[in-house]
């Protein structure tokens, strides 16, 4: 394989959306550890979460990912952490995505190597998810994270179903646990309603998400954004080729209109492949602040 053309993407999510200096330190640790390219970093105070995207060769990404998890473990304490987004760890999720010149199998092996090291050297319970899952019931991240930090603190080491794949059979006292996986491109996408009705956002989320009989490859939750004073439908589109951004927007618009509510705007969190947002789609879905040069993966690579 031509290692010079090999590109893997890593998109760690950290449970810190309010202290820029902490995210700065995590990013710096990753960049110092491996010759990777930082593609994007976003913080959300309401969700109390940061999403960082970097890419490089498998060897470089492996070193950068471990360094980022180690720095987050040192700096983030989940005791007293409160945000809209579910979380179980300082580094909540650590996915690897094949981009060019590599395969899903290589990313699964990468996830397993990093997971073993995180478990052994950082004493973090590690759960493999999506394509890297070691058992069917752990493919879905929501199932792995059920109970979050506080619930898992009581179950790991007691409930055999919560036994980690690597690491100690107990929660880390401040950094929790981490889900490490390999997956296809995920589009993190939010739709903000022209309403403060959290109940409506939760109802729409339930109607559109796959697990409740909605759209395929859609995970969704309803939140209230305190700073914007509005309700939000927050989503992960796990395969935009199956359910597109435009399709999910249209369904949310239909359900909101039935309740007499309009859509204010939508948001892309992090990056997306060009095929997920074809020309004209950002305008039609009212994608706020979208910049193709900064938010389309191919443009940055």
């Amino acid at each position: 394989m031509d290692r010079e053309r090999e590109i893997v993407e890593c998109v760690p999510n950290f449970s810190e959306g309010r202290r820029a200096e902490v995210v700065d330190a995590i990013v710096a640790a990753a960049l110092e550890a491996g010759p990777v390219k930082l593609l994007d970093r976003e913080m959300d105070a309401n969700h109390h979460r940061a999403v960082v995207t970097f890419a490089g060769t498998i060897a470089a990404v492996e070193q950068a990912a471990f360094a980022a998890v180690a720095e987050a473990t040192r700096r983030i304490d989940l005791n007293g952490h409160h945000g809209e987004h579910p979380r179980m760890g300082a580094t909540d999720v650590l996915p690897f995505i094949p981009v060019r010149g590599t395969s899903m199998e290589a990313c699964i092996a990468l996830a397993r190597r990093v997971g073993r090291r995180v478990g052994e050297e950082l004493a973090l319970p590690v759960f493999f998810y999506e394509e890297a899952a070691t058992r069917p019931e752990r493919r879905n991240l929501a199932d792995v994270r059920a109970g979050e930090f506080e619930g898992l603190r009581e179950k790991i080491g007691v409930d055999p179903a919560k036994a980690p794949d690597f690491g100690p059979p107990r929660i880390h006292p401040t950094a929790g646990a981490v889900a490490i996986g390999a997956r296809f491109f995920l589009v993190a996408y939010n739709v903000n309603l022209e309403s403060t009705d959290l109940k409506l956002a939760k109802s729409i989320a339930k109607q559109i998400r796959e697990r409740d009989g909605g759209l395929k490859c859609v995970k969704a939750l309803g939140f209230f954004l305190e700073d914007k004073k509005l309700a939000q439908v927050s989503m992960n589109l796990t395969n935009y080729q199956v359910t597109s951004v435009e399709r999910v927007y249209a369904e949310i618009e239909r359900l909101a209109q039935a309740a007499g509510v309009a859509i204010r705007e939508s948001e892309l969190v992090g990056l997306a492949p060009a095929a997920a947002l074809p020309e004209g789609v950002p305008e039609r879905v009212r994608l706020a602040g979208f910049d193709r040069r900064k938010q389309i993966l191919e443009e940055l690579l």
Side-chain angles (χ1 to χ4, degrees), residues 87-286:
R87 81 288 180 267
M88 69 177 190
T91 304
D92 196 50
V93 295
L94 185 71
F96 299 100
I97 303 99
V99 175
R100 187 177 73 199
T102 187
S103 65
M104 185 62 74
E105 289 71 24
C107 285
I108 292 170
L110 169 59
R112 300 272 170 81
R113 289 195 303 274
V114 174
R116 178 183 289 275
R117 190 177 175 194
V118 165
E120 292 177 352
E121 297 184 31
L122 302 180
L124 282 172
V126 174
F127 296 87
F128 293 125
Y129 78 107
E130 286 283 354
E131 298 298 324
T134 57
R135 41 178 115 166
E137 64 270 24
R138 289 189 178 173
R139 285 187 64 90
N140 186 355
L141 176 61
D143 294 332
V144 172
R145 194 164 52 199
E148 299 188 50
F149 171 65
E150 293 80 5
L152 288 170
R153 183 168 53 196
E154 307 303 319
K155 291 184 177 181
I156 296 179
V158 177
D159 183 352
K162 295 298 183 181
D165 290 297
F166 281 125
R170 59 187 176 277
I171 201 85
H172 188 285
T174 56
V178 58
I180 300 180
R183 60 164 172 77
F184 182 64
F185 293 108
L186 178 150
V187 178
Y189 178 62
N190 303 328
V191 172
N192 295 334
L193 305 178
E194 202 67 80
S195 171
T196 59
D197 190 348
L198 174 59
K199 186 176 178 181
L200 175 61
K202 288 179 176 289
S203 172
I204 291 174
K206 184 175 181 179
Q207 291 178 77
I208 65 170
R209 62 187 174 225
E210 181 176 11
R211 83 172 185 217
D212 288 308
L215 300 171
K216 294 289 186 184
C217 301
V218 174
K219 299 178 181 180
L221 293 171
F223 297 132
F224 178 73
L225 305 186
E226 184 62 39
D227 62 344
K228 294 184 178 181
K229 300 297 187 220
L230 55 75
Q232 179 186 82
V233 181
S234 180
M235 294 160 285
N236 282 340
L237 310 185
T238 59
N239 191 329
Y240 65 85
Q241 295 172 334
V242 175
T243 297
S244 69
V245 168
E246 195 163 19
R247 172 72 180 90
V248 78
Y249 177 91
E251 185 63 13
I252 293 172
E253 185 174 49
R254 182 185 71 80
L255 294 168
Q257 286 178 346
V261 171
I263 290 176
R264 177 179 295 184
E265 63 190 10
S266 69
E267 307 169 345
L268 175 66
V269 181
L271 308 179
L277 289 167
E279 292 291 341
V281 169
E283 293 75 19
R284 289 196 290 274
V285 302
R286 301 183 187 181

Side-chain angles (χ1 to χ4, degrees), residues 43-117:
M43 296 176 62
D44 188 302
N46 288 294
H47 288 208
H48 208 347
R49 195 171 183 85
V51 179
V52 175
T53 307
F54 54 83
T57 65
I58 287 177
V61 167
E62 184 169 344
Q63 296 303 315
F66 177 80
V69 175
E71 192 68 20
T73 300
R74 285 190 287 271
R75 290 181 174 267
I76 298 173
D77 185 347
L78 287 184
N79 296 285
H81 175 282
H82 299 288
E84 290 290 341
H85 204 288
R87 81 288 180 267
M88 69 177 190
T91 304
D92 196 50
V93 295
L94 185 71
F96 299 100
I97 303 99
V99 175
R100 187 177 73 199
T102 187
S103 65
M104 185 62 74
E105 289 71 24
C107 285
I108 292 170
L110 169 59
R112 300 272 170 81
R113 289 195 303 274
V114 174
R116 178 183 289 275
R117 190 177 175 194

